Amino acid sequence: EAVVVDTPSSISDTKIPEKDLMLTTIDSSGRVFLTMQNPKYAGQTKDLKRKVLEYVAGKYQIAFTEAEMEKFSKEEMFGVPVKDLQKYLDATSTEEKNKYNTGIPYDSTNNELFNWVQGIQVAHFNFRQEQKEMIESGIEVKPKEVMDRIKYAIKADGNAKYEQVQKVINVFQNPQLNINTFSLITDLE
């Protein structure tokens, strides 16, 4: 993981989904990181992360090389401002990568988190539509290869300020994203 967080404890034992999950992590200093799964589903021609990166690249008018796209699709967790993403992907050591892993901006003047989440929503929706069309045309799709609705979770360090967590929730609840159902990850007491 790019960052380690010490989550607060709770008594809830609800399991976090293992499939179709977008995890937003907030560390103790308020930096935001994203983790998105990159499963292969029936009918996919490109992986989900690649489609998300293409969406964000279009928003910021950045051209990524094929090698950079491939590297990004293998990243588990990232927290890099878009302006540094190419340098991050071209970095050869963990130490060099960590230099750019400063967190995804999510303030009102530079809300890159909004664009990443919107990119995830768009890519996920498009893949689900492709699968629906496949199934309706009679192509058999195994149940484990069917994409579910995307699920969202926030994992915040116990020392993260409430205001920082609230800002991320506000991004989720922006009317354009309309994410009002999400999990808050804690440790079991």
Side-chain angles (χ1 to χ4, degrees):
E1 286 190 9
V3 65
V4 176
V5 297
D6 181 21
T7 55
S9 60
S10 75
I11 56 171
S12 173
D13 63 352
T14 304
K15 295 264 186 202
I16 199 73
E18 294 182 21
K19 184 179 167 190
D20 301 311
L21 175 71
M22 185 202 83
L23 174 64
T24 304
T25 303
I26 307 165
D27 75 359
S28 60
S29 61
R31 297 181 306 164
V32 169
F33 298 80
L34 281 180
T35 305
M36 25 179 191
Q37 298 167 328
N38 204 22
K40 292 289 183 195
Y41 290 105
Q44 280 183 242
T45 54
K46 291 186 177 179
D47 64 49
L48 186 68
K49 285 184 180 178
R50 181 179 293 252
K51 293 299 255 181
V52 172
L53 183 58
E54 288 172 358
Y55 179 89
V56 171
K59 285 277 190 185
Y60 293 94
Q61 299 175 349
I62 298 172
F64 288 94
T65 66
E66 185 63 33
E68 289 167 338
M69 291 244 187
E70 185 65 29
K71 285 180 186 177
F72 182 78
S73 69
K74 293 178 182 171
E75 287 293 319
E76 264 189 56
M77 176 189 277
F78 67 97
V80 184
V82 173
K83 68 178 177 59
D84 294 331
L85 192 53
Q86 287 177 305
K87 293 178 219 163
Y88 171 81
L89 293 170
D90 294 336
T92 55
S93 69
T94 303
E95 185 179 282
E96 191 179 355
K97 279 187 163 196
N98 286 341
K99 182 169 69 172
Y100 301 111
N101 239 343
T102 58
I104 297 169
Y106 60 104
D107 60 19
S108 59
T109 59
N110 184 19
N111 196 345
E112 292 180 13
L113 179 61
F114 174 89
N115 290 322
W116 281 109
V117 175
Q118 191 172 52
I120 292 166
Q121 284 184 321
V122 167
H124 206 272
F125 177 81
N126 289 341
F127 278 143
R128 288 190 73 212
Q129 285 301 109
E130 288 174 22
Q131 277 199 331
K132 182 180 175 187
E133 290 167 9
M134 285 175 53
I135 293 167
E136 287 173 354
S137 71
I139 297 172
E140 190 174 325
V141 178
K142 296 176 187 169
K144 70 178 184 178
E145 292 181 349
V146 174
M147 192 177 250
D148 289 330
R149 288 184 180 267
I150 193 163
K151 295 151 196 90
Y152 303 91
I154 298 172
K155 179 180 178 180
D157 190 282
N159 293 317
K161 292 182 180 172
Y162 170 80
E163 294 81 16
Q164 294 162 327
V165 177
Q166 186 60 53
K167 277 185 184 179
V168 171
I169 292 171
N170 290 345
V171 170
F172 279 23
Q173 293 180 329
N174 179 300
Q176 291 176 297
L177 298 177
N178 199 28
I179 302 168
N180 294 306
T181 303
F182 51 87
S183 300
L184 291 172
I185 299 176
T186 57
D187 286 332
L188 194 58
E189 280 188 356

